[in-house]
Each structure stands twice: as structure tokens, then as C-alpha cells.
Amino acid sequence: GDEVQRRYRYQYLYTALLAIKMYKKEIPYEKLYCEVAEDVLATHSDKKLVAIQIKTTEGDPFSYNDEAVVKSLGRFIELNKNFPDVFAEFVFVSNTGFKKERNLENILSNLKNNDPTKLEENTSKFIQKLSEEFSVDPTIVIEVLKKTNLQKGPGIDDIESKIVYEHLSKVDHCSSLSHSKLGSILNMFILSIYKKSSKVIENSLVDYIAFVKDGKPKQQQIELESKVITTELVEQITKSENPVYLVSADGSSLKLKGGSINLMEHKMAAGGIDVMEINSM
């Protein structure tokens, strides 16, 4: 159980990394959707979609024949078949990359740079394998592989520190924050992405949907909106720790001094409130 959670956490962390890079305009994405068709579905600046699979492994790097790799490519093939001309790119992300002698990048490069009739033996065999396994014409496999790119993410043990020091600290309004503050912001990213990935909607839809004519489409729209990460959300999260406010029942707000914040955190922790929820508050 703990190992599974660790792998999911890596997925949430990598999604947070994509969100930060999107906010800084380092990648041409406009929105990210959590667990919609893929681990992450991005809307491209040209309005097409990018499907992103995030996979982790312990020890040895991936081989292109590994089950996890083949299954991911099968998902890309299925999406491309069901939604032709919708996807601009398919991305396979791993924490380790590929073995040198079984590197999927070699196959993709061979395919993208050569005439389909003049491919290396390994490339031709792999195309045939995917064609037979997923019952599609080899031309569809070739089309998908030509749109597939590989990304090697940080290691499973150092991804958090890399996000904090190499990315989050480079956001303008976060550059002066302490390590602990940056860690709190990253935890809030994880909590938000977890909720979006888990199909969590704050308010019940049952009564509302029962009284509207377009109930089912409306529900799907609200569910989809609950899964989206925008640049506005990234800004809201990255600015949430500076300054800190508490809001009372009568609507007035109180700005706390540094020492008071620490005291309040101690009181909340003593009351059994989870540390991630304290950070979010």
C-alpha cells in the first residue's frame, strides 16, 4: 500500500511540475486535466490535446518491451483511433529513462527520420507487435509513434527537492520564500492535484442535477471543471502563503504576526488537524 501511494505521489508531483512550468510559459500548455483519459491531459496552445502517461519503476530503467510501456502505447493508440486529429502529441514520462540497448527513443528516432519501408529490424518488429496486440493496422501504430515523445523526470526520491529548488523558487513571487514555505506550497499543490485526480467535487450534485433539463451533460461539465489546473490556480496556490490571514465568523479578517502563526499551527496540530490541511489553511 505504501509503495503504491509513493508512486501516486510521484504522479501528483510531476503534475505539479508541469503546472509550474505551464505558469512560467516554459511549455505551450494552457490547461491541465487530472485523470481524464490519461494521467494528465493537456490542452496545447494550438487547441489540440497532449496525452501524458507518468510511469515509475524501481531499480533498472525501462525496456521498450516492458508491459507498462506497451500498455501506455496501447492507450495512445486507442485515443488516436477514437479521436483522430485531436491529439498533437503523446508523452511517456518515466523516473528512470530507458536501458541503452532497449531504448524506445532509438525506435522513435528511427521511425521519425526514415522512410517506413527502410526501418531497422527492431523497429519493424516492434510496430508489428503493437499492431497485433491492439488489433490495429501498422499505419496507425506508425502514426502514433511519430507523435510520441519521451521525458525523463526527476528520480522518485529527489523529485520534491528538485521542484522546490529548481522550479518553485524561480517563480518571481516565491523567490524570497524560505524552504519550509516552498515546501508548504508544494504540499498544497499535491493536495489540490490529489483531489482533482480523485473526482472530488466540493458540493453534492444530486439535487441540482435532478432539476435541470441537461442534467447529465451539466454533471459531466462540472466534473470536468473540478479536474482542471489553470495558470490562475497556480498563481493562487503560489501566493497563498504570503501573507497569512485568518477569517472569523463575522467576516472580518485578522492578519497574524509570525510568532502568532507558529502558535496557531501548534494549536491546530494539538487539535488533531492534519499537517497538510494546516498548510492549506
Side-chain angles (χ1 to χ4, degrees):
D2 54 1
E3 185 59 34
V4 172
Q5 292 297 333
R6 187 164 173 249
R7 291 171 185 268
Y8 275 123
R9 184 177 177 84
Y10 184 93
Q11 182 176 315
Y12 302 151
L13 284 162
Y14 196 84
T15 305
L17 175 57
L18 290 175
I20 294 165
K21 294 175 80 171
M22 175 179 72
Y23 178 72
K24 294 168 65 182
K25 300 190 184 305
E26 295 177 358
I27 49 178
Y29 300 163
E30 294 183 338
K31 292 180 182 179
L32 302 174
Y33 291 88
C34 302
E35 294 293 348
V36 177
E38 280 300 351
D39 294 337
V40 182
L41 195 67
T43 58
H44 209 273
S45 54
D46 64 3
K47 305 307 177 188
K48 287 198 172 186
L49 301 180
V50 178
I52 304 169
Q53 276 270 312
I54 304 169
K55 295 296 179 187
T56 55
T57 183
E58 296 284 357
D60 292 338
F62 281 103
S63 296
Y64 60 73
N65 277 322
D66 284 347
E67 183 181 7
V69 178
V70 172
K71 279 189 173 181
S72 293
L73 295 175
R75 289 182 63 85
F76 294 159
I77 289 168
E78 191 71 17
L79 286 171
N80 197 68
K81 184 175 71 173
N82 292 337
F83 307 99
D85 300 321
V86 169
F87 287 89
E89 185 183 10
F90 300 103
V91 180
F92 180 89
V93 179
S94 70
N95 63 312
T96 60
F98 282 80
K99 293 178 181 175
K100 186 176 180 181
E101 66 279 9
R102 292 187 171 273
N103 194 340
L104 181 58
E105 186 61 56
N106 295 337
I107 289 178
L108 299 180
S109 178
N110 180 237
L111 185 58
K112 292 172 184 178
N113 298 323
N114 291 282
D115 186 296
T117 61
K118 300 177 182 178
L119 299 175
E120 294 176 358
E121 184 179 0
N122 278 352
T123 305
S124 298
K125 284 183 176 179
F126 191 63
I127 290 169
Q128 191 60 35
K129 170 187 172 75
L130 295 177
S131 173
E132 292 173 1
E133 185 150 345
F134 300 106
S135 304
V136 294
D137 191 272
T139 56
I140 295 177
V141 175
I142 291 171
E143 182 184 347
V144 170
L145 292 180
K146 282 187 173 182
K147 290 196 286 187
T148 299
N149 289 300
L150 307 180
Q151 290 180 8
K152 183 181 175 183
I156 201 166
D157 292 320
D158 64 0
I159 184 171
E160 294 190 42
S161 60
K162 284 191 179 257
I163 292 174
V164 166
Y165 287 115
E166 296 179 11
H167 299 277
L168 198 49
S169 65
K170 305 291 175 61
V171 175
D172 288 342
H173 50 267
C174 294
S175 59
S176 62
L177 297 180
S178 66
H179 171 72
S180 61
K181 290 288 188 184
L182 293 173
S184 295
I185 290 172
L186 184 56
N187 276 332
M188 293 192 331
F189 268 113
I190 295 170
L191 183 61
S192 178
I193 292 166
Y194 163 75
K195 287 183 176 180
K196 292 177 183 298
S197 299
S198 306
K199 206 174 183 179
V200 173
I201 300 175
E202 297 300 332
N203 300 307
S204 173
L205 293 174
V206 178
D207 293 333
Y208 169 69
I209 294 302
F211 288 98
V212 294
K213 292 181 180 179
D214 57 343
K216 189 66 176 175
K218 196 73 174 176
Q219 180 173 351
Q220 291 174 340
Q221 179 188 347
I222 293 172
E223 288 175 353
L224 195 61
E225 288 172 355
S226 74
K227 289 177 164 289
V228 68
I229 300 172
T230 61
T231 53
E232 289 80 12
L233 177 63
V234 176
E235 180 154 336
Q236 178 186 336
I237 291 175
T238 53
K239 288 184 174 180
S240 59
E241 286 281 316
N242 189 23
V244 177
Y245 290 94
L246 287 186
V247 180
S248 66
D250 65 0
S252 61
S253 62
L254 172 67
K255 184 175 180 181
L256 298 178
K257 297 178 181 178
S260 302
I261 295 171
N262 293 334
L263 177 60
M264 183 60 68
E265 287 178 349
H266 283 301
K267 288 182 176 180
M268 293 166 76
I273 300 174
D274 182 83
V275 66
M276 287 182 68
E277 294 290 353
I278 292 174
N279 288 335
S280 297
M281 293 179 207

